[in-house]
């Protein structure tokens, strides 16, 4: 008993210290009482003309007997004009899964990804907690389609049946409870843009919809003051340069090096800040894009659970506060897109919430463990669009999902050629050096990381180089090598489809400030 009291006292002391630190952050007084200062009128003032705000929430009847408790799902719906509506999802049954069932299936899919099926990153395990049971072999290829069907039944079919989607081009979804970490965009009607916004208080804060301290502000919504981005605002490329981390997931080194080549080519040699352990040390008040490629985890030993970006000793939500404003975040890491409700304060917790609170316009992140090759290709395909085409981060993520999905291919050969050139630039200098030292074209495959070997036609490359009078330079070799690199995500086996589902469903676009 004495030991337990000591633990409780220590936890209370730590909680008070964290609360005191949080109170120094601008906006804390709003989040400490998130409901008092927000009105329907203010919410509507922050919506676009064809935008629909949907709050999805689970509900349990507090008066029901424990054995009879059923978690139902409800949709609070608000358009630019008109009164809010409450749309009810079907009651869970044999044909309709409940949100708890879908959350359990989602966790089991993540546990299956974590058993190293072909170089996938490890899923976090909560110390002392029961681990989710991996899916049986027969469910590997169908788990994501079951989750998509459930999201359609709980969210999209009720919205369509109620007429709420008429005249709507974008749905912004706020979540509560178990819905926080489910792919709510899955099953949405074709052609509809879906954006997540985290919890409702974060949505309201990021769009400037709260009154000022003391609640004396007028009903006119105004976005918080934020510094304007310079034309050449820096881009931060973040990865863990620790030797163990580099050898554990070498794909992140390839992703960062190829991304740097894309940015430098697009910006005519501009210096791009690539950092390892130092976190986002930017020159100036605004970072246009922060691209993190590393391990991610969720510390479940604390309450609420804490998503951590594994850069150096770890980056959490608190580390994003008071940093330079980052307009766009790419979290190419496992599970760091997850958010959790703080049951004491009611304040949502997570890296995504931290980024949005600090002024980010868009955050792209994964809810589940990420297969290494999918993380690499997704990061490069998004980067190629943002750097060379000027496409907004969220739209670039949407297009990457379509282009990389072999089951619903959208042809964009120019984009994929650019990705191949970036991958080729990463190896061209090494290959040219090896050939100049007397190596043979057929021997180039020997020391290539598996992630590049599976996409490179070394037989064709050797045939092309065989007739050369002298070994090519790195500059000469790069375009030749690029023509023999064909990046793709397979979808032939059930294991392939389980991995592919991460890209289709667990890659989430969060938006804060309205896009221009």
């Amino acid at each position: 008993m004495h030991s337990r009291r000591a633990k409780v006292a220590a936890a209370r002391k730590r909680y008070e210290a964290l609360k005191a630190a949080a109170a120094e952050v601008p906006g804390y007084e709003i989040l400490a009482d998130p409901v008092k200062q927000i009105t329907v009128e203010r919410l509507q003032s922050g919506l676009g003309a064809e935008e629909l705000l949907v709050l999805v929430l689970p509900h349990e009847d507090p008066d029901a007997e424990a054995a009879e408790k059923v978690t139902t799902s409800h949709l609070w719906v608000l358009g630019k004009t008109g009164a809010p509506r409450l749309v009810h999802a079907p009651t869970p049954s044999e044909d309709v899964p409940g949100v708890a069932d879908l959350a359990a299936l989602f966790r089991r899919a993540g546990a299956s990804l974590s058993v190293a099926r072909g170089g996938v990153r490890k899923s976090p395990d909560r110390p002392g907690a029961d681990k989710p049971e991996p899916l049986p072999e027969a469910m590997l290829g169908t788990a994501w389609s079951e989750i998509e069907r459930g999201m359609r039944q709980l969210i999209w079919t009720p919205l369509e049946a109620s007429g709420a989607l008429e005249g709507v081009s974008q749905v912004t979804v706020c979540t509560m409870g178990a819905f926080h970490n489910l792919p709510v965009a899955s099953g949405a009607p074709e052609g509809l843009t879906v954006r997540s916004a985290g919890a409702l208080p974060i949505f309201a804060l990021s769009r400037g919809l709260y009154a000022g301290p003391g609640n004396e502000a007028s009903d006119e919504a105004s976005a918080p003051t934020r510094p304007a981005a310079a034309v050449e605002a820096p881009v931060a490329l973040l990865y863990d340069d620790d030797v163990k981390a580099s050898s554990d997931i070498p794909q992140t080194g390839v992703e960062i090096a190829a991304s740097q080549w894309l940015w430098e080519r697009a910006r005519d040699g501009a210096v791009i800040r690539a950092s390892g352990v130092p976190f986002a040390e930017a020159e100036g008040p605004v970072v246009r894009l922060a691209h993190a490629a590393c391990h991610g985890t969720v510390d479940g030993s604390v309450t609420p659970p804490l998503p951590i970006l594994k850069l150096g000793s770890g980056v959490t939500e608190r580390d994003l506060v008071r940093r330079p404003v980052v307009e766009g975040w790419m979290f190419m890491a496992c599970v760091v897109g997850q958010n959790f409700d703080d049951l004491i304060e009611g304040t949502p917790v997570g890296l995504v919430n931290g980024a949005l609170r600090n002024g980010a316009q868009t955050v792209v992140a994964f809810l589940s463990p990420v297969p290494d090759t999918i993380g690499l290709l997704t990061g490069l395909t998004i980067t190629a669009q943002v750097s060379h085409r000027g496409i907004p981060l969220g739209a670039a993520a949407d297009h990457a999902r379509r282009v990389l999905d072999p089951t619903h291919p959208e042809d964009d050969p120019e984009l994929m050629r650019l990705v191949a050139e970036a991958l080729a630039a990463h190896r061209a200098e090494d290959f040219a050096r090896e050939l100049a030292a007397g190596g043979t074209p057929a021997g180039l495959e020997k020391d290539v990381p598996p992630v590049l070997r599976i996409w490179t036609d070394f037989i064709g490359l050797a045939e092309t180089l065989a007739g050369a009078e002298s070994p090519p330079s790195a500059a000469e070799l790069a375009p030749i090598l690029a023509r023999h690199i064909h990046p793709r995500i397979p979808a032939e086996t059930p294991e392939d489809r389980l991995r592919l589902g991460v890209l289709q469903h667990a890659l989430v676009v969060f938006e804060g400030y309205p896009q221009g």
Side-chain angles (χ1 to χ4, degrees):
M1 181 63 73
H2 177 74
S3 173
R4 179 166 295 184
R5 285 176 178 171
K7 287 182 179 180
V8 171
R12 171 56 64 178
K13 186 175 180 180
R14 178 173 176 272
Y15 164 72
E16 294 296 341
L18 291 174
K19 185 176 179 181
E24 299 178 8
V25 178
Y28 174 82
E29 70 283 350
I30 294 174
L31 292 175
D33 194 355
V35 178
K36 181 187 298 182
Q37 303 177 65
I38 188 65
T39 64
V40 167
E41 290 75 17
R42 285 200 182 117
L43 286 174
Q44 288 178 317
S45 71
L47 294 176
E50 297 182 353
E51 183 180 10
L52 187 72
L53 176 65
V54 176
L55 172 63
V56 293
L57 60 147
H59 173 71
E60 265 189 5
D61 183 357
D63 298 325
E65 297 292 333
E68 299 176 357
K69 282 187 180 296
V70 175
T71 301
T72 55
S73 301
H74 306 275
L75 312 167
W76 188 83
V77 181
L78 183 66
K80 180 67 175 178
T81 59
R85 288 189 285 167
L86 189 63
V87 177
H88 304 284
T91 302
S93 64
E94 291 185 4
D95 298 322
V96 179
V99 62
D101 299 323
L102 291 174
L105 180 57
F106 187 84
R107 288 194 296 270
R108 293 186 68 187
S112 300
L113 287 165
S114 73
V115 295
R117 297 179 184 272
V120 295
R121 297 170 182 160
K122 292 182 178 180
S123 172
D125 294 323
R126 293 178 58 189
D130 293 333
K131 299 178 182 179
E133 183 181 349
L135 296 168
E137 197 76 19
M139 291 181 63
L140 292 179
T142 61
W144 290 108
S145 60
E146 286 298 308
I147 292 172
E148 179 180 5
R149 185 175 71 90
M151 290 290 95
R152 188 180 299 115
Q153 290 174 309
L154 294 184
I155 299 176
W156 302 108
T157 298
L159 287 177
E160 285 187 294
S162 70
L165 299 182
E166 294 177 7
V168 170
S169 61
Q170 174 172 321
V171 174
T172 299
V173 181
C174 293
T175 50
M176 292 181 65
F179 279 109
H180 277 320
N181 298 318
L182 281 172
V184 293
S186 294
E190 192 73 26
L192 185 68
T193 298
V194 180
R195 292 291 181 257
S196 291
L200 187 61
I202 295 297
F203 167 82
L205 177 65
S206 65
R207 296 210 180 183
L209 305 178
Y210 280 112
N215 204 28
E216 297 100 357
S218 68
D219 287 337
E220 295 285 333
S222 59
T225 302
R226 29 193 310 273
V231 173
E232 290 296 325
V235 174
L237 302 176
L238 310 174
Y239 69 104
D240 194 342
D241 56 6
D242 176 75
V243 174
K244 183 180 184 304
S246 300
S247 60
D248 192 18
I249 44 174
Q251 290 84 353
T252 59
V254 176
E255 183 179 338
I256 291 298
S259 295
Q260 184 164 350
W261 181 86
L262 286 166
W263 278 109
E264 289 180 344
R265 178 177 172 180
R267 295 172 59 176
D268 195 22
V271 177
I272 306 301
R273 296 189 62 88
S275 60
V277 174
F279 175 67
E281 295 178 352
E283 297 173 348
V286 177
V287 179
R288 178 181 177 188
L289 177 73
H291 175 176
C294 59
H295 276 302
T297 188
V298 172
D299 182 359
S301 65
V302 297
T303 301
L306 189 66
I308 301 173
L309 203 61
K310 299 298 283 291
L311 293 171
S313 58
V315 173
T316 67
E317 176 182 352
R318 287 194 299 162
D319 296 302
L320 302 186
V321 177
R322 293 183 176 172
R323 297 286 177 178
V325 173
V326 178
E327 292 184 338
W329 266 106
M330 289 171 60
F331 291 130
M332 297 293 105
C334 293
V335 302
V336 295
Q338 296 187 12
N339 296 301
F340 300 91
D341 289 325
D342 186 329
L343 299 181
I344 298 177
E345 293 289 343
T347 306
V349 173
L351 281 161
V352 169
N353 282 326
L356 294 173
R357 285 174 60 184
N358 203 43
Q361 291 180 353
T362 307
V363 181
V364 175
F366 288 96
L367 296 178
S368 74
V370 187
D372 296 321
T373 54
I374 289 178
L376 165 62
L377 270 189
T378 303
L380 289 183
T381 308
I382 293 173
T383 298
Q385 296 175 77
V386 177
S387 62
H388 284 65
R389 296 179 175 179
I391 294 177
L393 180 56
D398 292 338
H399 188 57
R401 188 185 291 112
R402 293 190 294 266
V403 169
L404 294 175
D405 181 356
T407 64
H408 300 88
E410 181 166 316
D411 194 27
D412 194 341
E414 181 184 349
L415 176 62
M416 297 317 297
R417 184 168 60 249
L418 190 57
V419 171
E421 289 175 0
L423 290 168
H426 173 69
R427 297 298 299 184
E429 190 171 330
D430 292 340
F431 284 176
R433 189 182 303 115
E434 188 172 336
L435 292 172
T440 64
L444 292 177
E445 184 178 0
K446 180 177 59 177
D447 296 323
V448 175
V451 66
L452 291 182
R453 190 181 302 130
I454 61 175
W455 295 329
T456 306
D457 175 15
F458 281 99
I459 295 176
L461 178 63
E463 291 175 351
T464 301
L465 296 175
E469 296 181 1
S470 60
S473 66
E476 295 169 332
L477 181 59
I480 299 173
L481 178 57
R483 289 197 295 272
H484 291 85
I485 293 178
H486 309 285
R488 62 180 293 270
I489 297 173
E492 285 79 22
T493 68
E495 291 87 349
D496 289 339
R497 291 191 288 276
L498 182 67
R499 296 188 194 97
L500 178 62
V502 174
L503 171 67
Q504 292 172 322
H505 303 283
L507 177 67
V508 180
V509 178
F510 299 85
E511 276 189 359
Y513 289 90
Q515 305 301 293

